[in-house]
Amino acid sequence: MSKDSESSRLRDERLKKLQTLREQGIQPYPYKFERTHQNKDLQEKYKDLANETETQDVVKVCGRVMNERNTWMFVDLYDDSGKIQLFCHKENLDKDKLQTLKLFDKGDIIGATGTIRRTKAGELSVKVTDFELLCKSLQPLPDSWSGFTDVEARYRHRYVDLIINPEVRDTLRKRSLAIRTIRNFLDSRGFLEIETPTLQVEAGGADARPFVTHHNTLDLELYLRIATELHLKRLVVGGFERVYEIGRIFRNEGISTRHNPEFTMLEMYCAYGDYKDLMDFTEEMLLQCATSVCGTSDLVYQGQVLNFKQPFKRIRMVDAIKEVTGKDVESMKTFDEVKACATEIGVRLDGEKTRGEVINTIFEEKVEHTLIQPTFIIDYPVEISPLTKAHRDRPGEVERFELMVAGRELANGYSELTDPLDQRARLEEQARKKAAGDVEAMPLDLDFILAMEYGMPPTMGIGIGIDRLVMLLTDSASIRDVIAFPTMKPHKEEKPEQSV
RNA sequence: GGAUCAUUAGCUCAACGGUAGAGCAGUUGCCUCUUAAGCAAUUGGUUCUGGGUUCGAAUCCCGGAUGAUCCA
């Protein structure tokens, strides 16, 4: 049954051609093609070949037909590496072949054999002596001139987006390169990559709401992890002094240009260092990412230049607040004082119950978005940092930093809390908050505390949002642009019709 | 959660409340030529969805869906 729409009519045209091809004994979905070169290889190899000259070098190329001119005399063929033009002159092809050519469509994938020639217009071409269909495409491609710009359609049908928009492919390549750079950086420093559980009985390690799922055989509620922290630290207890994981994290929160429910985070733990060492380490790693992906330490992001040269500015949270608001919250020793200060400068509070929470809210509301150049905000309030070691000099604070870039958080690191009794007290406080209705408070993970009691060396540890890093490296405004298949609300059932 | 905007042919977009249109794609020819190839002809619409106002709605009003941006 076919819908009376343009869409199915275009598809029907192609189905008819598919049928004709089959009747002519042509297999439209063959098994393999042995090419001799990728298109980019040929462009490089023959970059000095003069116009209107040809070689006797026989090559075999393949890819998707993106455009055709003069009734298939000229074909723009794209593979993963780039473009080559096919030159299908009737002198070089018999009548049957020329007829077959007319059954092809833009979007089909074909393979061609021929000699290399540069046309008088200067286009490097394969002068085709033979070709074969490698896949008949049934769907019309968006018009390549006007493009494929509907954002929703692009995310929902990312494969079309990838075919049409080269910058999407480029972004995902850079994402891969950034992750590879980080792995190389860590591996070359003796780090071990270890995978920890995604399904967890308790979702801890961060303040976030988890996704809930169910294991049938065990009849057990399980949570998707919101962090890898508590398991990676168990590995440090077990004797791995340098571990990391680059893994998918799930947080049951809203969707925005900076948030996707599932995202990728690097967590890294290194024994015998503190948060100051960690800042040096982080600077070096990010600089390496910038230079390897962008070839420079100066990233252009949404019209601003971000300088990733070391060292980044380091400033205490209370000092950053003072710089922006003029308020010395450090001197305000009580909850009521900082609360009054927040109200005075127009910061809306939403259930904050401690002095440290209010200070953090003031920072997030007033300061965070002003921090464009890479900046380490250091020395956080203890109340919002239940896994961080107490500051060696400043009571009420912890040895923690967040790295701010382009007005948002990119990384979060600290001297890890290793005192099992302090850790127990902190998590018990979290459990009280949870019992009182705070859905983002951490659960009391008794096995984690038991691990701490066996003893963990002094350790520095950091989490870096890979998606946000890739946004910076690729000048992407939305996190969805750096995720191949971002989370979308289902629209309506869309699937190809049944074949006639 | 709130505000604003968007949704029309396969794609990109038009259309004062008055016959739904263009370019590209598609189809049929011509042209052995090209670079968004060209020329001629031609097909194609539940205007996101459901109500309402109106003689008449793509257009105005209300609800819904999806998305974008901003705010919280």
Side-chain angles (χ1 to χ4, degrees):
Chain A
M1 191 172 73
S2 87
K3 224 173 22 168
D4 184 24
S5 71
E6 174 72 354
S7 162
S8 66
R9 294 179 35 147
L10 293 171
R11 184 167 177 273
D12 287 346
E13 292 281 358
R14 292 183 176 221
L15 283 171
K16 261 190 338 207
K17 291 176 185 169
L18 177 68
Q19 185 59 30
T20 308
L21 285 162
R22 284 203 155 112
E23 283 163 4
Q24 293 179 0
I26 292 167
Q27 156 66 282
Y29 301 104
Y31 293 89
K32 65 179 291 182
F33 181 79
E34 288 198 23
R35 67 173 147 199
T36 58
H37 298 79
Q38 280 202 299
N39 295 342
K40 190 180 170 193
D41 299 338
L42 292 175
Q43 297 287 0
E44 277 165 14
K45 184 172 176 188
Y46 295 101
K47 64 177 187 296
D48 297 324
L49 188 67
N51 291 2
E52 277 192 278
T53 54
E54 52 186 281
T55 72
Q56 293 310 305
D57 305 348
V58 175
V59 299
K60 298 183 72 148
V61 294
C62 53
R64 190 183 293 274
V65 174
M66 294 303 289
N67 199 10
E68 152 271 321
R69 288 176 291 282
N70 186 32
T71 329
W72 294 86
M73 186 174 177
F74 300 101
V75 175
D76 290 340
L77 192 72
Y78 281 78
D79 68 9
D80 195 14
S81 72
K83 172 191 164 186
I84 191 99
Q85 176 173 267
L86 303 183
F87 177 57
C88 303
H89 199 279
K90 64 181 175 187
E91 283 174 7
N92 301 310
L93 294 163
D94 63 39
K95 226 169 212 156
D96 287 350
K97 279 285 181 184
L98 287 167
Q99 286 304 311
T100 302
L101 211 44
K102 290 186 177 170
L103 295 170
F104 289 179
D105 285 289
K106 290 171 192 176
D108 288 356
I109 295 165
I110 65 175
T113 306
T115 51
I116 288 291
R117 153 193 180 83
R118 193 177 291 280
T119 66
K120 75 176 164 198
E123 190 74 43
L124 189 71
S125 307
V126 174
K127 189 166 144 189
V128 176
T129 53
D130 194 18
F131 60 80
E132 58 194 276
L133 181 61
L134 300 178
C135 177
K136 185 70 192 158
S137 164
L138 299 181
Q139 296 289 339
L141 288 175
D143 154 30
S144 61
W145 179 243
S146 49
F148 185 48
T149 60
D150 182 273
V151 188
E152 181 177 356
R154 287 181 45 217
Y155 293 146
R156 286 189 194 280
H157 305 289
R158 188 65 111 170
Y159 36 89
V160 183
D161 197 19
L162 286 163
I163 292 169
I164 297 295
N165 295 317
E167 67 277 11
V168 180
R169 294 152 56 82
D170 193 47
T171 295
L172 293 179
R173 281 206 189 87
K174 284 179 173 167
R175 181 185 176 111
S176 175
L177 176 58
I179 292 172
R180 201 157 58 243
T181 302
I182 290 171
R183 281 213 165 89
N184 288 343
F185 184 91
L186 294 171
D187 292 349
S188 69
R189 283 162 179 74
F191 281 80
L192 198 62
E193 182 173 19
I194 299 188
E195 291 166 284
T196 64
T198 302
L199 294 174
Q200 304 184 342
V201 176
E202 301 272 24
D207 306 324
R209 302 182 69 165
F211 285 90
V212 190
T213 186
H214 185 259
H215 189 281
N216 290 339
T217 308
L218 297 180
D219 189 19
L220 180 66
E221 290 278 283
L222 288 171
Y223 300 95
L224 301 188
R225 67 183 175 193
I226 57 172
T228 48
E229 177 157 0
L230 302 187
H231 285 89
L232 288 172
K233 283 183 179 173
R234 283 171 168 96
L235 293 171
V236 178
V237 169
F240 292 117
E241 295 178 0
R242 298 183 166 210
V243 289
Y244 73 98
E245 179 166 12
I246 295 174
R248 198 68 58 84
I249 300 295
F250 306 86
R251 293 186 182 172
N252 205 337
E253 296 166 348
I255 295 177
S256 77
T257 49
R258 298 173 199 186
H259 300 87
N260 197 65
E262 53 178 308
F263 61 100
T264 302
M265 188 150 76
L266 161 70
E267 282 199 41
M268 182 283 288
Y269 294 85
C270 177
Y272 305 114
D274 67 8
Y275 78 141
K276 290 176 185 168
D277 302 321
L278 185 56
M279 284 187 271
D280 298 340
F281 186 92
T282 304
E283 285 172 350
E284 203 182 330
M285 183 163 68
L286 292 179
L287 179 63
Q288 192 139 329
C289 282
T291 50
S292 99
V293 176
C294 304
T296 171
S297 60
D298 293 327
L299 303 185
V300 176
Y301 184 70
Q302 306 291 294
Q304 306 173 109
V305 176
L306 307 174
N307 184 352
F308 273 76
K309 271 202 205 76
Q310 309 172 36
F312 303 166
K313 184 177 175 184
R314 299 178 187 188
I315 182 170
R316 295 178 61 225
M317 179 185 273
V318 289
D319 291 336
I321 291 174
K322 198 191 293 178
E323 275 191 7
V324 173
T325 69
K327 297 293 178 188
D328 182 11
V329 293
E330 190 173 22
S331 68
M332 303 171 193
K333 295 300 181 195
T334 67
F335 172 74
D336 289 335
E337 276 179 280
V338 292
K339 187 181 171 189
C341 173
T343 308
E344 184 193 336
I345 60 177
V347 171
R348 285 240 304 260
L349 298 180
D350 180 32
E352 287 80 351
K353 292 191 174 62
T354 63
R355 174 178 177 275
E357 285 170 330
V358 174
I359 290 174
N360 182 57
T361 301
I362 292 173
F363 172 78
E364 286 178 351
E365 295 287 316
K366 290 289 172 184
V367 183
E368 191 169 303
H369 67 272
T370 69
L371 300 169
I372 305 304
Q373 294 304 321
T375 305
F376 287 114
I377 297 297
I378 62 174
D379 298 351
Y380 275 62
V382 63
E383 298 96 319
I384 58 163
S385 315
L387 302 169
T388 313
K389 192 169 269 182
H391 198 287
R392 63 195 77 181
D393 300 320
R394 303 179 186 280
E397 293 180 12
V398 292
E399 296 200 350
R400 170 179 175 186
F401 65 80
E402 285 194 4
L403 176 61
M404 302 292 167
V405 188
R408 54 190 79 158
E409 175 195 346
L410 179 64
N412 177 23
Y414 30 90
S415 302
E416 302 295 338
L417 178 52
T418 53
D419 175 342
L421 303 179
D422 192 1
Q423 183 64 86
R424 177 184 285 271
R426 303 263 202 105
L427 287 181
E428 281 173 351
E429 173 58 23
Q430 288 287 313
R432 269 192 295 278
K433 284 188 184 172
K434 201 173 189 66
D438 182 345
V439 290
E440 293 192 347
M442 288 186 205
L444 181 59
D445 185 335
L446 290 171
D447 182 72
F448 173 67
I449 291 169
L450 181 60
M452 289 292 111
E453 293 204 355
Y454 277 91
M456 182 166 96
T459 298
M460 62 186 192
I462 189 170
I464 297 181
I466 295 295
D467 310 270
R468 288 183 182 184
L469 174 61
V470 176
M471 285 171 70
L472 296 175
L473 295 170
T474 58
D475 195 15
S476 299
S478 170
I479 195 169
R480 295 184 149 193
D481 293 326
V482 302
I483 295 175
F485 302 100
T487 304
M488 299 291 283
K489 201 165 175 178
H491 199 211
K492 57 187 172 189
E493 204 172 342
E494 290 184 77
K495 57 182 179 186
E497 294 162 57
Q498 293 299 304
S499 182
V500 283

